[in-house]
Amino acid sequence: MSATDIRRYERLKMMMEDWANWMGGYRMKLGWPSRSIGIESGYVSREFDEMLGDVEAEMYRLIDAAVNDLSAGHHAAINRCYGVSAVFRFPRGNYDTLLIEAHDLLIIALPKKGVAI
Protein backbone atom coordinates (compact mmCIF):
# COMPACT_ATOMS: atom_id res chain seq x y z
CA MET A 1 0.00 0.00 0.00
CA SER A 2 1.46 3.35 -1.03
CA ALA A 3 1.65 6.47 1.13
CA THR A 4 -1.15 8.06 -0.91
CA ASP A 5 -3.40 5.06 -0.29
CA ILE A 6 -2.68 5.21 3.43
CA ARG A 7 -3.58 8.92 3.55
CA ARG A 8 -6.84 8.27 1.66
CA TYR A 9 -7.66 5.45 4.06
CA GLU A 10 -6.98 7.71 7.07
CA ARG A 11 -9.13 10.51 5.59
CA LEU A 12 -11.91 7.99 4.94
CA LYS A 13 -11.76 6.83 8.55
CA MET A 14 -12.02 10.44 9.80
CA MET A 15 -14.98 11.07 7.49
CA MET A 16 -16.65 7.87 8.69
CA GLU A 17 -16.19 8.90 12.34
CA ASP A 18 -17.84 12.25 11.56
CA TRP A 19 -20.61 10.38 9.71
CA ALA A 20 -21.17 8.17 12.76
CA ASN A 21 -21.44 11.26 14.99
CA TRP A 22 -23.92 12.76 12.52
CA MET A 23 -25.91 9.50 12.53
CA GLY A 24 -26.14 9.69 16.32
CA GLY A 25 -27.75 13.11 16.13
CA TYR A 26 -29.69 12.67 12.89
CA ARG A 27 -33.36 13.55 13.11
CA MET A 28 -35.67 13.50 10.15
CA LYS A 29 -37.01 16.97 9.43
CA LEU A 30 -40.74 17.08 9.87
CA GLY A 31 -43.05 19.96 9.16
CA TRP A 32 -42.59 23.08 7.12
CA PRO A 33 -39.23 24.72 6.42
CA SER A 34 -38.27 27.74 8.49
CA ARG A 35 -38.37 29.94 5.36
CA SER A 36 -40.92 29.92 2.62
CA ILE A 37 -39.50 29.24 -0.82
CA GLY A 38 -41.88 31.72 -2.39
CA ILE A 39 -40.90 34.56 -0.07
CA GLU A 40 -37.15 33.95 0.22
CA SER A 41 -35.25 35.85 -2.42
CA GLY A 42 -31.63 35.98 -3.43
CA TYR A 43 -31.14 38.90 -1.06
CA VAL A 44 -31.56 36.81 2.08
CA SER A 45 -28.16 36.43 3.66
CA ARG A 46 -27.21 33.17 5.29
CA GLU A 47 -24.35 32.81 7.67
CA PHE A 48 -21.32 30.87 6.52
CA ASP A 49 -21.71 28.34 9.34
CA GLU A 50 -25.26 27.57 8.23
CA MET A 51 -24.15 27.03 4.64
CA LEU A 52 -21.24 24.86 5.79
CA GLY A 53 -23.64 22.82 7.93
CA ASP A 54 -25.85 22.22 4.89
CA VAL A 55 -22.86 21.03 2.84
CA GLU A 56 -21.70 18.71 5.62
CA ALA A 57 -25.21 17.28 6.06
CA GLU A 58 -25.40 16.56 2.34
CA MET A 59 -21.99 14.86 2.44
CA TYR A 60 -23.13 12.68 5.36
CA ARG A 61 -26.31 11.77 3.48
CA LEU A 62 -24.17 10.68 0.52
CA ILE A 63 -21.90 8.64 2.79
CA ASP A 64 -24.99 7.07 4.38
CA ALA A 65 -26.30 6.15 0.94
CA ALA A 66 -22.95 4.55 0.03
CA VAL A 67 -22.93 2.56 3.29
CA ASN A 68 -26.50 1.43 2.63
CA ASP A 69 -25.45 0.25 -0.85
CA LEU A 70 -22.93 -2.17 0.68
CA SER A 71 -23.73 -5.84 1.16
CA ALA A 72 -25.25 -6.82 4.50
CA GLY A 73 -21.97 -8.08 5.94
CA HIS A 74 -19.98 -5.01 4.91
CA HIS A 75 -22.78 -2.72 6.13
CA ALA A 76 -22.82 -4.48 9.51
CA ALA A 77 -19.03 -4.27 9.84
CA ILE A 78 -19.04 -0.51 9.18
CA ASN A 79 -21.89 0.04 11.65
CA ARG A 80 -20.10 -1.97 14.32
CA CYS A 81 -16.72 -0.31 13.74
CA TYR A 82 -18.06 3.22 14.08
CA GLY A 83 -20.54 2.49 16.86
CA VAL A 84 -23.67 3.19 14.83
CA SER A 85 -25.04 -0.14 16.03
CA ALA A 86 -23.34 -3.06 17.68
CA VAL A 87 -25.98 -5.77 17.62
CA PHE A 88 -24.30 -7.73 14.85
CA ARG A 89 -22.37 -10.91 15.46
CA PHE A 90 -19.81 -12.33 13.10
CA PRO A 91 -19.89 -16.06 13.83
CA ARG A 92 -17.39 -16.85 11.08
CA GLY A 93 -14.82 -14.56 12.63
CA ASN A 94 -14.64 -12.52 9.42
CA TYR A 95 -15.28 -9.08 10.92
CA ASP A 96 -11.76 -7.78 10.19
CA THR A 97 -11.87 -8.99 6.59
CA LEU A 98 -15.33 -7.51 6.00
CA LEU A 99 -14.29 -4.19 7.52
CA ILE A 100 -11.21 -3.87 5.30
CA GLU A 101 -13.26 -4.82 2.22
CA ALA A 102 -15.99 -2.32 3.20
CA HIS A 103 -13.45 0.50 3.48
CA ASP A 104 -11.99 -0.48 0.10
CA LEU A 105 -15.46 -0.44 -1.45
CA LEU A 106 -16.24 2.96 0.08
CA ILE A 107 -12.99 4.44 -1.25
CA ILE A 108 -14.25 3.49 -4.72
CA ALA A 109 -17.96 4.33 -4.21
CA LEU A 110 -17.78 7.72 -2.46
CA PRO A 111 -16.03 9.65 -5.26
CA LYS A 112 -18.66 8.28 -7.66
CA LYS A 113 -21.32 9.85 -5.44
CA GLY A 114 -19.47 13.17 -5.38
CA VAL A 115 -17.68 12.87 -2.03
CA ALA A 116 -14.00 13.76 -2.28
CA ILE A 117 -11.71 11.70 -0.09
Side-chain angles (χ1 to χ4, degrees), residues 33-92:
S34 62
R35 295 185 185 115
S36 172
I37 294 172
I39 296 173
E40 184 175 334
S41 67
Y43 298 105
V44 175
S45 176
R46 292 176 42 188
E47 292 184 16
F48 180 75
D49 290 339
E50 184 180 348
M51 289 188 291
L52 184 60
D54 292 345
V55 170
E56 287 179 343
E58 181 60 25
M59 181 183 69
Y60 298 140
R61 281 191 284 275
L62 292 170
I63 292 172
D64 193 44
V67 170
N68 287 331
D69 289 345
L70 295 173
S71 69
H74 293 117
H75 186 261
I78 288 290
N79 283 337
R80 180 177 172 190
C81 176
Y82 295 102
V84 174
S85 59
V87 296
F88 302 104
R89 292 181 52 194
F90 296 88
R92 296 182 184 161

Side-chain angles (χ1 to χ4, degrees), residues 2 9 26 31 36 61 77 92 98 105 112 115:
S2 70
Y9 191 83
Y26 177 72
S36 172
R61 281 191 284 275
R92 296 182 184 161
L98 286 172
L105 291 169
K112 291 179 182 177
V115 178

